[in-house]
Amino acid sequence: MALFVHQLAAVPPDSMTNAPSLDTWIDAFIELHADYETSELNSDHPLWWAIERTIFILKPVDRETMWQFVIGVLARKPHAFVLECLAAGPLEDMIAHFGDYFIERIEYTAKSDPAFRELLHGVWKNRTPDALWQRIEIARSPGDASPAA
C-alpha cells in the first residue's frame, strides 16, 4: 500500500472540525479507487473516509464543496475506473439531489469541457426529475447542442 495511505489513516471520517483539505480528499478518493482495482474495498480500508465524505445523506460537506471535489478529481485526470466511480457516485448523487441548483453550471461546464461532458455519460438518471434529466442528456451530447429553454 502506498505511503500516502499510511499518512491519511488517522484522518477522522466523521469529524468536520478536523476535516482534511480538498486536495487531501481528492488524492485519497483517487488512491482508494486505484487500490480497489487490485484489492477488496470495504469500510476497513484506511481511506474509506474519502467515500463517506461523498455520501449526501450523511451531509458531510456542502454542495459547493462537492462540486469543487468533482471538478478537482476530474482535473487530476485519473484513470478510467476512478472517473467511472466519480460519475456513478458523487456526480450522480449531486445531480439527483441538487440538480436544479447545478444544472446551468453543468450545462456550461459540459459545453466548455469535453472531459466533463464525457463524465456525464457515467451518470444514471437515478431520482433526477424527467425535465432535468432531459437537460443532462442534452448537456452530455456531442457538438454544440444547447439546452432547451
Side-chain angles (χ1 to χ4, degrees), residues 110-139:
K111 190 171 185 175
S112 62
D113 182 352
F116 184 79
R117 185 172 50 249
E118 183 62 30
L119 186 67
L120 288 173
H121 285 279
V123 174
W124 289 23
K125 186 175 185 286
N126 197 323
R127 295 184 207 163
T128 306
D130 291 340
L132 184 60
W133 185 246
Q134 289 176 340
R135 291 176 72 177
I136 295 296
E137 288 183 319
I138 291 169

Side-chain angles (χ1 to χ4, degrees), residues 55-127:
I55 301 172
F56 275 104
I57 59 171
L58 298 178
K59 298 182 181 175
V61 296
D62 64 86
R63 58 190 176 193
E64 287 295 335
T65 301
M66 188 62 71
W67 174 263
Q68 292 171 3
F69 171 78
V70 168
I71 297 301
V73 172
L74 184 61
R76 303 278 173 92
K77 300 180 182 179
H79 54 84
F81 182 74
V82 175
L83 294 175
E84 291 167 13
C85 293
L86 181 66
L91 182 56
E92 183 175 308
D93 290 345
M94 189 172 71
I95 291 169
H97 293 280
F98 302 111
D100 288 334
Y101 179 81
F102 284 109
I103 190 58
E104 290 176 0
R105 197 177 319 180
I106 289 167
E107 290 167 336
Y108 175 82
T109 305
K111 190 171 185 175
S112 62
D113 182 352
F116 184 79
R117 185 172 50 249
E118 183 62 30
L119 186 67
L120 288 173
H121 285 279
V123 174
W124 289 23
K125 186 175 185 286
N126 197 323
R127 295 184 207 163

